[in-house]
Structures are given as structure tokens and as C-alpha cells.
Amino acid sequence: MTSHAATDDEQRTTTRRSVLGGVAATAGAALAGVGALATASRPAAAVDGDPAAFEAGDAPTVTSNDGLIESVYLSPTVDVSWTDFSAGVERVTLTLAVGSEAGVDEVYRETLSASDPAATPGDVASVRGLDGDGADTPSDAPPEFGAVDGGLTAAFERVDATARGDAVTTETLSATDLSGGETATTTLDVVFRADVAGSGEEVTVVRTTTVDLTVENPAGDATAGGSVAVDAV
């Protein structure tokens, strides 16, 4: 019986990550990891960012007598750099998705373009260039999309992931049937993807991480409800 339960868990995890893999599927070369350089083809791209934008400490916990996790906030700031785009870059599309056993929700999808390098569409709060050839030091100027080797920093507005879809919601994250002194944990997979296109080429690079959200029903009295700030604020 134990073996069967383990198999079911593995199947659910595989299914969830297969869907997330669809969000993070590569159009050229892609590697997961902080600042991973996609070297399998040229041109190439890399993505980096503040880890605090994707993680909430070692074990974020909400203490709640009613078992509710009301919100999960995200506000990532990421650096995207590119190399060997002979005619520069035409556009950079940034996507962030969050998934659990209940499914996957796309939280952000925004496209920055060379036609308006200073534009901040949708949930993009600010966009700046990077000093040097992809160095991770933001400049005060807009990104130079025409650079052979260049990059940008994009900061996103703070968003509640539970309000962006039908999978990662208050209902799916909460555990309202917990008895006093019990806890329940939900693992969230977070995928950030950057698609960099120009010179007739497109390169995709991906960063992934997981966050465990725990709700605890204490044996005594506590304030009901709570939030988990998974952000860089």
C-alpha cells in the first residue's frame, strides 16, 4: 500500500512538472539555473535575478486557526543578457508560471521590444539597460536592443499569484480541515522563462525553483488567515 501511494505522488509530480515544462519549453537552447548560459547554440542568452523574488526563506509558514492561505505575492526583478546577436535583439518575452498538484497558472507574460525600449507594458514596473556587455549592473538608461552583446533589467509589479488563475488559489493552498496542532504543506514550482529574438534567431533560457508553503493550525488561539510574501520587496 505504501508503495502504491508513493507511485501516485510521483505521477502527480511528473504531471505537474510536465505542464510546467510546456511553459518552459525551449525554442532553441535552454538551461535551468541562476545565470545559466545557453551555450548549445549561438546566439546565446542568460537570465539572473534576486533570489528573494522567488523564495520565501527556508520554510514559509502561515499560522491560521481556519487553515487559510489568503495570498502568495510575487514581485521578481530579473536580469536578461544576450551575446552574439549580430544585428541586435528585436524583442524579449518574459514569462513566469507557478504550479502545484492542482495545476499551473501563468502569473506574468510581457514582451519588451526594440521599437520602444523604455516601455513598461502590463505588469512591468521598470526596465533598464545593463552596463557593459551583459554585466549584471543596471544602468540608468533604457536597454540597447541593437547591441550585439547586451542586456536589460526588468522589475515586475507585486502580484498575488492566487488571483491569476484557477490552479494556485486560496482554496487549493489552504487546509481548512486541519485539527489543532497539525500542519499541511504545498510545494509550488516556479518557472521563469526569457525568450530573446533577433537576427532571425530565437534563444530561450529558463530558471526554476520550488517553494514549500506550510499552513499550521496551532493548538491555542491565533489570528485567522495569512499571506506569504514570495517577493523582493
Side-chain angles (χ1 to χ4, degrees):
M1 187 70 177
T2 301
S3 175
H4 179 69
T7 300
D8 288 345
D9 289 343
E10 291 171 359
Q11 289 175 342
R12 286 194 295 269
T13 300
T14 300
T15 300
R16 178 177 78 248
R17 292 189 173 168
S18 295
V19 176
L20 280 162
V23 175
T26 63
L31 294 175
V34 180
L37 186 64
T39 58
S41 65
R42 284 196 171 281
V47 63
D48 201 352
D50 185 343
F54 299 91
E55 302 165 13
D58 295 331
T61 300
V62 169
T63 301
S64 167
N65 282 124
D66 57 13
L68 290 179
I69 293 180
E70 295 176 346
S71 52
V72 177
Y73 291 104
L74 299 168
S75 59
T77 298
V78 295
D79 300 332
V80 179
S81 59
W82 59 85
T83 59
D84 297 310
F85 276 82
S86 59
V89 166
E90 297 169 6
R91 66 185 182 278
V92 176
T93 300
L94 307 174
T95 306
L96 187 144
V98 178
S100 70
E101 291 183 355
V104 178
D105 288 332
E106 188 175 276
V107 181
Y108 301 102
R109 180 187 289 269
E110 301 294 347
T111 298
L112 308 174
S113 71
S115 61
D116 194 354
T120 53
D123 293 309
V124 177
S126 66
V127 57
R128 296 181 291 173
L130 291 176
D131 288 333
D133 55 347
D136 58 357
T137 304
S139 71
D140 294 328
E144 296 183 17
F145 283 86
V148 174
D149 300 328
L152 58 84
T153 294
F156 288 84
E157 300 283 357
R158 193 172 191 242
V159 165
D160 179 6
T162 67
R164 286 301 174 101
D166 299 324
V168 180
T169 65
T170 294
E171 290 74 19
T172 60
L173 295 177
S174 299
T176 56
D177 58 350
L178 285 179
S179 299
E182 291 185 342
T183 62
T185 299
T186 300
T187 298
L188 293 181
D189 292 294
V190 182
V191 175
F192 189 89
R193 164 176 166 165
D195 295 282
V196 182
S199 309
E201 300 281 348
E202 184 168 355
V203 176
T204 300
V205 64
V206 177
R207 177 185 171 183
T208 66
T209 191
T210 60
V211 177
D212 287 335
L213 302 183
T214 300
V215 59
E216 176 183 9
N217 183 0
D221 293 331
T223 302
S227 298
V228 178
V230 188
D231 58 28
V233 175

